[in-house]
Amino acid sequence: MKLAKFFTSLAITLLLIYLINRGWTIGSVSIPPLGKFLDPFHGFWQNLEPTGYQGKKQLIIPGLKAPVTVVYDSLLIPHIFAQNNDDLYLSQGYITAMHRLWQMEFQTHAAAGRVSEIVASDAVLNYDRRQRRLGMVYGAGNALASMGKHPAIVQYTEGVNRFIETLDYKNLPFEYKLLDYQPEPWTPLKCALLLKNMAQTLNMGDKDIEMTNALKLYGREMVDLLYPDNEKSGDPIVEKPGQWNFQAITLDGVPPAIPDDLIEIKKLAVSDPNTGSNNWAVSGSKTYTGSPMLAGDPHLDLTLPSIWYAVQLHGPEINTMGATLPGVPSVIIGFNDSIAWSVTNAQRDLVDWYKITFRDKSRDQYLLDGKWVDTRKVVEEIKMRGGSTFYDTVVYTHWGPVTYDNQFQSQNELNGYAFRWIAHDPSEEINAFHRLNRAKNHAEFMEAVNYFSSPAQNFVFASVSGDIAIRVQGKFPVRRKDEGRFVLDGSKSSNGWQAFIPNGHNVMDKNPERGFVSSANQYPADSTYPYYITSTEYQAYRNRRINQVLREAGNITFRDMMRLQTDNYNLKAAESLPLFLSYLDSTQLNHLEKQAYQVLRSWDYFNHANSAGASYYEAWWDNLMPLLWDEMQNETASLSRPTAYNTIRLLRDKPELPFFDIEHTQEKETAADIINRAFILAVEDIEKWKLDHTTLPVWAEFKDSYIPHLLPPLRALSIPVKTGGNHDIVNAHSRTHGPSWRMVVSLEPSGIKTWAVYPGGQSGNPGSAHHHDMVARWEKGNYFPMLFLKAPDENIQKIFYSTQLNPKGQ
Amino acid sequence: MRLIIQVLVIVVLGFFMELLLPWWSVAIAAFIGGLLVTTRLNFLAGFLAIGILWFVKALINDLVTDSDLTDRVAAIFMLHSKVLLLLVTLLLGGLVGGFAAMSGGALRKYRV
């Protein structure tokens, strides 16, 4: 009897331990191993950092050649002082992983289409399949062939791995514990994947399939009216008509035929169309100090942990600081002792889709120049959490991977669509940043940027020696007119990219007479630039607002630069609201609508946080677009809406456009009808909103922004923020997207001064005080002065703590 | 009195084993406590010892941090407050400790 009691209770004990030592999935709910996770000696309670927590003061890191000193300032920004380049990058890898390992690895898994290994669902599997079919690993592998041996990548990889080796369950980052998995060793491929991940964010936007469908449905004339290549909204990046002094490359041969297809595939969105950025530099002639100033703020999906990690790197012949991408060596946007630089996205269309004709449904051969050519098949193994594996055969042609075929998002057995992307080509971005971090002047900046091919960026530059410059840099194919706008015939090799624009022919300018250079994702050049340019969308508002302010400004201080970065002036509203109001039949309005009408009439066009007018305008706009372009919500074929700028132009100039008729109604609507209807819906939306909220419908409340965790289902880890701005406004903060790093640099000969802030914090650990300690200041449009040190002990009172990294055996 | 000694033995043993071994080492501690200092209330002793050990350690970690992660984890677990999360921690540790101590006690009684 007593023996039975012993065995029973022992069995219960062991069963209980088993049950809570592993994770469980019940339906769609995943439960972490509760015993491990809640044990306060090893579980998540260990990720709660005590107040004033400091890391170890001494670390031994095998692989280092000499001691390295890392000084942390009050924001936990590491200032790394190494005696040689290898140690510098090894330390950068180690320290970055210490703060951001989970994020680094998760982003590479996401890029490579391996999220199913962590969380399995049908939607995730579809995401993974798409990533594989876009050839992300294929592109990263090609990049690795040219930069995999770069010492910075090799050393950084080693540094990350030295950190991973120190981990046990107790000090594992929080997300690994919650999602119940382990980090794997870091590889150079992962560094390349992170660069491709950025290229995907910035440079995978295209609408070739949508344009082809529009061409079939609406005809050529309407396509040119709805989607012009150049909207001529004014203020291109560089305006020097007739001064493009080079002999442009022209292509012989027949331009690609315009297709006549309706493409019935379910296209998956690959990037946010609102992605964009601002940057500018002003020459000393316009500043208070007489020295140039530079400002940059890349706009991205805002997440926690943040996309950026700030670092200072100091070594022989290098002293640089700025924003780094966790997982990639070097500083991406920043400054050094002599220069500063920042980037915005160049937007240019560098994605082409080729229609492939397969010989039969085996997809073994495809037609090329009248012959059947073999395809190459790659079997993608997608490992799913729980043990099963999904196999997906991806067909490769000489163009690139066939993303859409009868296996994925399409029913068509004999045709597929192959993806040609500039970021599939070998490239040496890491070399560009390596040199940029060390560049001393404009000439060295230009040389460094020559190594940069993708994703194409607008580099803005300023130097202590007084120069300012801008350069649109990327590897751009020479295109014939219309090439790249529509889906191309993949059975003719002549439809491929024949030549690339030489670096020297790219759009650039140095020390222009007007005393400033700027870019905000707008059209790159005046109409005399000799190469054909096309894109999904060019910005038409932020660029003009920035230039308007800079043109009028003089004696500019760093505060003026900050004011412009956080400028809430809504130029789009200023140009469209008077038109909308003039179309509004104010005699027909009810009481609430009259109130809204008055609010809008007295609005100053600033999307300030406390503005009610902004809420009404944005609600109006958000209702207007889908009503106007209801034809684009096609069930079977993807279509895209015209841009905001072109929409407003058409409403003004062509109010009778047949598109303005709502399809499913009897009446024949015009622009005025739609604008009135959208207004009524907007007022209804705001009234509905008021029922659920106790605050006034001011813009920050109505916009309801938040910074989500990198894994969106973890909504409990997101942070609400109340800000003004919006897309198409210089302060480009929409709901979850916006300025991911704000930087202002004053290039004074007595020493560079920098102010910066980003919506997050240095630590990726949600249990750290530094997880989102910069958000409050970012929200208010304030900055932190950056501590830029010449030596580890230069400014001891501003230092939080320092760590000595020692080689093994010393 | 003996119960208090038993609880203390398990707490101290559990604390030191946790420093060296994974979380399930608290079961070993409670088992040994049940075996060496057997009482009539082995389960209660094990439950109180490990439950309180876990509760107090978790509470201390939460008190000394500036972070609000505990609230956020409570929200992920669909609990209304972090107090509930602390109680869940106590309960889990307590159950493991309780059954392990009961097993230890049963073994002792069998041998005797």
Side-chain angles (χ1 to χ4, degrees), chain A residues 111-166:
Chain A
R114 291 181 53 195
V115 183
S116 293
E117 293 173 28
I118 305 165
V119 278
S121 76
D122 287 349
V124 170
L125 177 63
N126 230 23
Y127 169 87
D128 282 345
R129 288 186 69 192
R130 187 202 69 191
Q131 290 301 98
R132 310 264 179 139
R133 286 171 163 268
L134 290 169
M136 290 297 284
V137 178
Y138 163 71
N142 287 343
L144 212 56
S146 52
M147 60 189 184
K149 300 253 173 350
H150 195 288
I153 294 218
V154 173
Q155 293 300 323
Y156 188 94
T157 298
E158 172 144 359
V160 176
N161 283 327
R162 291 298 85 81
F163 173 71
I164 292 174
E165 286 157 12
T166 68

Side-chain angles (χ1 to χ4, degrees), chain A residues 6 9-10 12-13 17 20-21 34 36-42 44-45 48-51 716 718-719 766-767, chain B residues 15 18 21 23 27 54 57-58 61 64-67 69-70 72-73 77 86 89 92 96 99-100 102-103 106-107:
Chain A
F6 166 66
S9 58
L10 186 67
I12 294 174
T13 311
I17 290 174
I20 61 176
N21 192 43
L34 288 174
K36 282 163 90 172
F37 186 77
L38 291 177
D39 165 21
F41 293 87
H42 302 94
F44 96 91
W45 302 97
L48 298 167
E49 285 179 3
T51 303
S718 68
I719 310 264
Chain B
F15 177 80
E18 279 263 35
L21 292 168
W23 75 274
W54 276 24
K57 175 64 179 160
N61 282 15
V64 300
T65 187
D66 293 328
S67 144
L69 181 61
T70 314
R72 294 176 188 275
V73 171
F77 282 82
L86 282 162
T89 302
L92 271 187
V96 172
F99 284 112
M102 196 165 112
S103 309
L107 184 64

Side-chain angles (χ1 to χ4, degrees), chain A residues 609-623:
Chain A
N610 61 1
S611 162
S615 301
Y616 282 101
Y617 174 80
E618 299 292 352
W620 196 351
W621 178 261
D622 288 344
N623 277 293

Side-chain angles (χ1 to χ4, degrees), chain A residues 38 44 86 145 232 262 381 388 429 470 506 510 516 546 575 615 630 664 671 700 704 766 803:
Chain A
L38 291 177
F44 96 91
D86 283 357
K232 301 214 167 76
L262 188 69
E381 288 181 33
S388 62
E429 283 76 26
I470 194 152
N506 277 339
K510 185 187 172 195
F516 69 90
I546 290 166
E575 290 180 352
S615 301
D630 57 328
H664 63 82
D704 191 27
T803 301

Side-chain angles (χ1 to χ4, degrees), chain A residues 558-626:
Chain A
F558 68 90
R559 290 194 189 286
D560 297 324
M561 301 283 272
M562 294 171 183
R563 211 167 289 136
L564 182 52
Q565 277 192 332
T566 54
D567 178 85
N568 286 327
Y569 185 67
N570 191 337
L571 181 57
K572 184 176 91 184
E575 290 180 352
S576 61
L577 185 59
L579 176 77
F580 295 172
L581 289 172
S582 73
Y583 276 131
L584 206 60
D585 184 354
S586 57
T587 59
Q588 298 290 313
L589 302 179
N590 68 26
H591 169 65
L592 291 167
E593 288 157 6
K594 271 198 190 109
Q595 275 182 351
Y597 178 74
Q598 287 309 325
V599 170
L600 281 167
R601 276 190 47 155
S602 56
W603 181 41
D604 59 3
Y605 306 128
F606 279 89
N607 274 40
H608 290 319
N610 61 1
S611 162
S615 301
Y616 282 101
Y617 174 80
E618 299 292 352
W620 196 351
W621 178 261
D622 288 344
N623 277 293
L624 182 62
M625 283 298 264

Side-chain angles (χ1 to χ4, degrees), chain A residues 76 256 382 395 458 500 525 673 681 697 702 731 762 788:
Chain A
L76 207 69
I382 303 176
V395 170
N458 308 315
F500 291 94
D673 298 318
L681 291 173
F702 187 68
N731 179 19
Q762 287 288 94
F788 185 49

